[in-house]
Structure formats: structure tokens, C-alpha cells
Amino acid sequence: MSTSRPNYPTIAQTVGHTPLVRLQRIPGAGNVERNNVILGKLEGNNPAGSVKDRPALSMFMRAEERGDISPGDTLIEATSGNTGIALAMVAAILGYKMILVMPENQSIERRQSMSAYGAELILTPATGGMEYARDYAEQLQKDGKGKILDQFGNKDNPKAHIESTGPEIWEDTQGQVTHFISAMGTTGTITGVSVYLKEKNANIQIIGAQPEDGSQIPGIRKWSPEYIPKIYADAKVDRIEYVSQAAAEDMARRLAREEGIFCGISAAGALVVALRVAERIENATIVFIVCDRGDRYLSTGVFPA
């Protein structure tokens, strides 16, 4: 005798719909007086632990729909961490082989996470940075080792945020969002969310966080002109503000200790910018992306024992 069961989700179906939470202590009395609210979107709650779960799933599923890839294929991607982990998870779900190319100076936790999902990891010299890793991945594709999904040029990356992240922010703030702030790496998040929010309200300010000269912040990049992601469009970002590595690392520790939000350094950098913006405005609803979880950075020494 058969019995009906609840419609249980698959792991892929749990991507997205992450919490949007109000910061309580860090914004301080000044923002209360100015009637500003600062909200963090907790993307570490995605199954592979970052905002990159959204574009990873989008790039896979749409490539399959177009017939560009099929289960059993080998795919290649250059990554600094989060996208690689997300792609490795989706590859495991759908039955693909995944080769990830990453600079050797990225945290051991990120390497181990990729391997745990069954991906093959190729480490490139730290001196070459992500630029060398991207070139190496391109060469692997030319050599017939697999197909690159290309997070830097694939429109299915920002499309994921047009279809999910942006609408979630709009709905969760009941259309009251006035400012959106995101770290800029691949630029898929800020580009896609901007497209959606600007269609809803052209006055919403889209602000990108980039590292100051000499600062190295995982997940935030300032690309040389020849490596600027093809998915990026200047017109989608109202302005860019710069943050130091020291400020981002200090804010990551503060977020854990004062707000109970254990996140990565790039998310903390976005909050540094959000607080700077909040000093100059009133009656604002400011949303920043908490792109991943802090346990991905334990070996870096940012969170001392």
C-alpha cells in the first residue's frame, strides 16, 4: 500500500532564499538617530556556503538546457575559492567531473572543500594571482582537457542574481531598500542585483567595495583592464569605494563577536563601506551581501585563538 509523502527538496533546491538580518550593535546610536537600518544577506546559509552557489547552479543548468554540456563531461574553472566550491558541489549533484585551477596561496579550507566534493584541484603560483590561474584554465581548454563555464564572461552568472538575489532583497525589504553594497570580484552579484533593483527603483544606489592599493582581501579584486570580467558594466554600479585589508579583517572579527555573524573578509569589507555610507545619509535601508562563512578562513589567522 503506497502512502503519499511530503515534497522533500533536493540539495539544489535549497540554494537561495537566504535570511536578511538586521545588525543590532555595530551600526551604533548614530544610525538609530538618523533612522538608518543596515541589513546583511546571509549567503553562507546556501548549501555549499556562499553566494556563489546561485551562479554555479545557474551556469550548469542553463548550459545543460542549451545542450552545451551533459553529465559525464569534464568542466574547468579558475577560482579563488567560493565559486570553485559551489561548482564542485553542483558537479557532484549532476554527475560531472570538475577541474579547478586556483592560486596556491588560498586557504587550506577552500582547497579541502573542493576536494571533498570530488573536484580535481590544480594549484598555480601565488605570484601569478588569479590572472595566471585564468590563463592556465584557458590553456587546459585549448588542450582538450575540458570545457570552461567561465564565471567571468558567462551571462548566466549575473542572471542568477537578477532572478533570485535581487527579488529576495526587494521582497524582504518590502521595496524599502535604498542602498545595495557588495564586494566586487567576479562582479556577477553586484551586476545582477543592480539590474533587478534598478528596474524596480532607479534611485536605489548600487555601491561596490574594492581593496585599497596594497591590500589583499579574499573575494574582492581590482582587475587590470585586460582581465576585467566581461559580465561587468560600469553603468550598473553608481560608485566604488575602497577598503583596507586591516579594516576588513577587523570588521570580520567584530561581526562575529558583536553580531554573531561569522563571515568572510570580503563581506566584512562590504560592511565597512556600508557604515561609511550610512554616516552621510538618513532614513536609509542599506543591504550588504554577507557572501560566505568565516570557517573558510580559520587557517589564515584572521580569527586568532
Side-chain angles (χ1 to χ4, degrees):
M1 180 178 176
S2 63
T3 57
S4 61
R5 290 189 174 88
N7 187 21
Y8 300 110
T10 65
I11 190 73
Q13 290 170 329
T14 67
V15 172
H17 302 289
T18 55
L20 187 67
V21 300
R22 177 174 59 86
L23 270 60
Q24 301 178 78
R25 298 174 63 191
I26 289 177
N31 277 301
V32 174
E33 292 169 3
R34 292 189 296 277
N35 195 35
N36 293 332
V37 61
I38 299 178
L39 306 169
K41 189 152 178 61
L42 303 185
E43 291 297 297
N45 284 39
N46 281 306
S50 85
V51 68
K52 300 298 187 179
D53 288 19
R54 299 175 187 259
L57 186 62
S58 173
M59 288 189 291
F60 260 102
M61 298 302 291
R62 288 187 165 91
E64 272 196 353
E65 289 168 4
R66 290 189 296 267
D68 296 340
I69 61 174
S70 57
D73 288 350
T74 298
L75 303 177
I76 304 166
E77 194 71 24
T79 178
S80 64
N82 284 332
T83 301
I85 295 169
L87 288 170
M89 176 194 72
V90 180
I93 294 170
L94 299 178
Y96 289 81
K97 299 173 184 176
M98 194 78 230
I99 298 174
L100 298 168
V101 184
M102 186 172 76
E104 63 186 352
N105 60 338
Q106 301 304 315
S107 71
I108 188 65
E109 293 89 353
R110 281 180 276 183
R111 297 190 214 173
Q112 291 173 336
S113 296
M114 295 172 195
S115 297
Y117 285 118
E120 176 185 346
L121 183 59
I122 297 175
L123 299 177
T124 56
T127 52
M130 271 301 296
E131 289 83 356
Y132 182 87
R134 286 171 66 178
D135 291 343
Y136 193 96
E138 290 284 352
Q139 188 59 51
L140 289 176
Q141 180 172 248
K142 290 176 183 176
D143 293 342
K145 302 296 184 182
K147 181 180 179 63
I148 293 176
L149 283 171
D150 188 16
Q151 61 174 317
F152 305 98
N154 191 329
K155 293 181 180 178
D156 295 333
N157 177 343
K159 192 169 185 179
H161 302 291
I162 296 170
E163 294 182 346
S164 66
T165 320
E168 289 172 28
I169 291 169
W170 181 259
E171 291 163 12
D172 288 347
T173 63
Q174 298 180 11
Q176 294 181 25
V177 56
T178 59
H179 296 73
F180 174 74
I181 298 167
S182 174
M184 294 176 65
T186 308
T187 73
T189 303
I190 196 166
T191 301
V193 171
S194 176
V195 169
Y196 183 85
L197 292 183
K198 290 284 192 180
E199 287 178 353
K200 289 294 186 179
N201 179 357
N203 293 321
I204 295 172
Q205 291 291 291
I206 308 297
I207 302 163
Q210 286 193 347
E212 290 182 358
D213 289 341
S215 289
Q216 294 185 352
I217 304 172
I220 311 183
R221 290 297 308 251
K222 186 160 53 176
W223 299 100
S224 57
E226 64 271 29
Y227 286 95
I228 292 174
K230 294 178 182 178
I231 58 175
Y232 178 66
D234 282 327
K236 304 299 181 189
V237 178
D238 292 296
R239 71 178 185 274
I240 294 171
E241 299 218 6
Y242 298 93
V243 60
S244 71
Q245 180 177 345
E249 291 179 351
D250 179 66
M251 186 58 72
R253 291 187 285 269
R254 287 190 63 193
L255 271 164
R257 294 170 181 172
E258 297 179 39
E259 298 284 353
I261 298 174
F262 187 32
C263 68
I265 321 306
S266 59
L271 176 57
V272 171
V273 171
L275 291 169
R276 193 184 300 160
V277 169
E279 290 176 357
R280 308 190 289 261
I281 55 179
E282 297 178 344
N283 304 312
T285 299
I286 303 168
V287 176
F288 74 102
I289 289 287
V290 183
C291 14
D292 61 4
R293 298 191 299 249
D295 52 10
R296 221 151 260 189
Y297 306 89
L298 290 174
S299 66
T300 67
V302 172
F303 303 101

